[in-house]
Amino acid sequence: MALFLKRMIFYKTLSNWYSDNKRDLPWRRTVDPYKIWLSEIILQQTQVKQGLPYYMAFLDKFPTVSHLAEADESEVLKLWQGLGYYSRARNLHASAKYIAFELGGKFPDNYNSLLKLKGVGDYTASAIASICFNEVTAVVDGNVYRVLARYFNIDTPINSSKGAKEFKLLAQELIDKKDPANFNQAIMEFGATQCKPQNPDCTSCPFQSGCLAFNKGIVGELPVKIKAAKAKRKYFNFLVVISNNGQTVLEKREGKGIWENLYQFPLIESKTDLAYEDLNIQVEAHPVLKHKSFELSLYNKDCIIHKLSHQHLHTRFWIAKLDDVIDNGVSISKINDYAVPVLIGNFIETFNF
DNA sequence: AACTCGGGGGG
DNA sequence: CCCCCAGAGTT
């Protein structure tokens, strides 16, 4: 009985707040599972402001799951360029093909079926199932962790398996069974715009009297998170070849690491900062320059430091102007057709080919 | 359980 | 420098 009442009050307060404060976002004007799915994948670890233009561009180019399924992966990656976490794009495309060609175009319509899609985990399956199909499955994203940790004063680390279970269970107890779609979206919106990570607006918060963290003065200490390892330094030396017939060399990144299936200039990678002389020798001896006559120059004397969550890339670009043609080159005039990492894209934009 | 996977923005 | 973001997959 106490739980029932608590739940009632929580949702009443939340839904009132939401109806007064919700942003008008394009994916709130539809329950088309394809569009909701697309929005959820784009918004994984990505703020609305950053993801919004990509959502519009994807729907413009791929209005339905069939359009997406029939595209080449290279097209999908090109449209995803700049958004990061490129496995999302590869998995999105793979799942579109699965839906279009193996499920006959019928979009999975429940949590368990949705979970079978590549790139769809507990959060995304819950979001689509609740928003599109009114299934009572609570979402637990970064916003929900924060709101619940503060309101209920829970200090279990949110990025531990214990925390994941605990918060999922709590959210599932709190969710409004009559309107799971509205509950899920409301609690996330509340976390995103009011119960923010920094400087939450507690003075105007409708949950203030019931919020355990506020009443103990520990809002800033919650949620608790296990610290991530510090970023590692790596040293990237790219070889920008320019042939005498307007071509350069781009290589597709293979394998499991960062930027899988994106393109880059030939790369010499090292864990330590090699001495200039050693580097120069390596660049000159690189396979793509073998048996060629060229003039080598270092584009940036000071390293460009490209910062990612888990590694800092200290980068130099070497320009090799060839008095020759090259094998397997790509026209510099078509360089913008290739999906490249931001680090490469910035160079291409700045460098005057 | 720990690690990997991007890039942008805020303090 | 630190933090976070409508997380998921791999080891």
Side-chain angles (χ1 to χ4, degrees):
Chain A
M1 186 59 190
L3 175 63
F4 174 75
L5 205 61
K6 196 164 189 173
R7 193 164 61 200
M8 282 266 295
I9 292 166
F10 189 89
Y11 182 57
K12 186 71 182 166
T13 308
L14 182 63
S15 60
N16 283 340
W17 178 90
Y18 187 53
S19 62
D20 289 343
N21 295 284
K22 72 171 167 182
R23 291 168 288 182
D24 181 21
L25 300 168
W27 47 85
R28 294 214 170 118
R29 293 169 170 256
T30 181
V31 290
D32 176 348
Y34 168 66
K35 295 178 181 174
I36 298 299
W37 171 55
L38 177 64
S39 76
E40 294 299 344
I41 301 299
I42 287 174
L43 291 172
Q44 286 171 6
Q45 294 295 285
T46 304
Q47 294 187 313
V48 167
K49 184 180 176 186
Q50 189 188 3
L52 186 52
Y54 286 85
Y55 175 80
M56 303 308 283
F58 264 82
L59 276 190
D60 189 50
K61 189 159 187 177
F62 308 120
T64 70
V65 70
S66 303
H67 290 86
L68 181 56
E70 285 163 12
D72 289 330
E73 187 189 86
S74 60
E75 277 184 90
V76 180
L77 283 172
K78 181 62 192 175
L79 207 53
W80 199 272
Q81 178 177 313
L83 198 54
Y85 284 159
Y86 297 93
S87 66
R88 291 183 293 173
R90 298 190 302 270
N91 288 334
L92 186 77
H93 183 232
S95 293
K97 292 204 283 188
Y98 168 66
I99 294 166
F101 304 139
E102 293 187 44
L103 301 183
K106 186 184 181 306
F107 211 97
D109 64 356
N110 61 79
Y111 175 88
N112 285 314
S113 309
L114 287 161
L115 212 47
K116 293 192 175 76
L117 302 177
K118 285 185 182 175
V120 173
D122 176 75
Y123 163 78
T124 305
S126 299
I128 301 170
S130 61
I131 294 169
C132 303
F133 307 110
N134 291 307
E135 188 169 338
V136 184
T137 51
V139 295
V140 184
D141 71 335
N143 294 306
V144 177
Y145 277 123
R146 186 169 54 256
V147 171
L148 296 183
R150 287 174 176 168
Y151 187 78
F152 294 99
N153 185 20
I154 301 168
D155 61 2
T156 311
I158 60 174
N159 54 344
S160 64
S161 53
K162 183 170 182 287
K165 288 178 196 163
E166 191 174 341
F167 283 93
K168 176 76 180 183
L169 189 61
L170 177 55
Q172 195 62 34
E173 286 172 354
L174 284 172
I175 193 172
D176 180 51
K177 294 187 172 60
K178 292 196 180 68
D179 198 348
N182 199 60
F183 177 93
N184 279 341
Q185 293 180 87
I187 193 169
M188 289 191 284
E189 183 79 339
F190 178 71
T193 66
Q194 174 117 14
C195 194
K196 297 174 291 184
Q198 295 108 355
N199 306 319
D201 194 0
C202 296
T203 55
S204 71
C205 182
F207 285 104
Q208 191 189 95
S209 63
C211 178
L212 293 182
F214 178 80
N215 287 304
K216 291 185 73 173
I218 56 171
V219 171
E221 297 169 34
L222 295 170
V224 172
K225 200 169 183 177
I226 299 165
K227 303 264 185 243
K230 286 211 331 188
K232 292 171 186 167
R233 282 189 191 184
K234 286 186 182 172
Y235 295 86
F236 279 14
N237 286 274
F238 289 109
L239 182 51
V240 183
V241 180
I242 303 174
S243 74
N244 64 4
N245 62 339
Q247 294 194 322
T248 188
V249 178
L250 287 181
E251 297 175 345
K252 188 174 184 176
R253 289 185 65 95
E254 311 283 355
K256 281 286 168 196
I258 193 177
W259 302 327
E260 184 183 342
N261 293 2
L262 273 68
Y263 287 82
Q264 67 182 16
F265 300 109
L267 169 65
I268 298 168
E269 180 180 342
S270 55
K271 289 178 182 169
T272 61
D273 195 8
L274 303 173
Y276 174 82
E277 301 304 333
D278 296 337
L279 213 41
N280 204 332
I281 292 168
Q282 277 203 49
V283 171
E284 296 208 357
H286 196 279
V288 305
L289 295 177
K290 209 72 179 174
H291 306 307
K292 303 285 184 187
S293 151
F294 57 90
E295 188 180 316
L296 187 66
S297 63
L298 179 55
Y299 172 70
N300 57 315
K301 186 165 167 41
D302 296 326
C303 279
I304 296 165
I305 304 176
H306 189 70
K307 293 183 176 179
L308 305 175
S309 315
H310 49 290
Q311 47 190 325
H312 293 177
L313 308 177
H314 294 241
T315 309
R316 294 187 188 91
F317 292 91
W318 300 76
I319 315 300
K321 243 179 120 47
L322 259 62
D323 187 24
D324 201 346
V325 297
I326 40 177
D327 313 319
N328 306 318
V330 308
S331 283
I332 289 171
S333 60
K334 292 193 174 175
I335 201 168
N336 289 320
D337 293 348
Y338 295 82
V340 298
V342 165
L343 176 59
I344 302 294
N346 287 345
F347 171 81
I348 291 171
E349 214 173 293
T350 307
F351 185 69
N352 195 5
F353 271 106

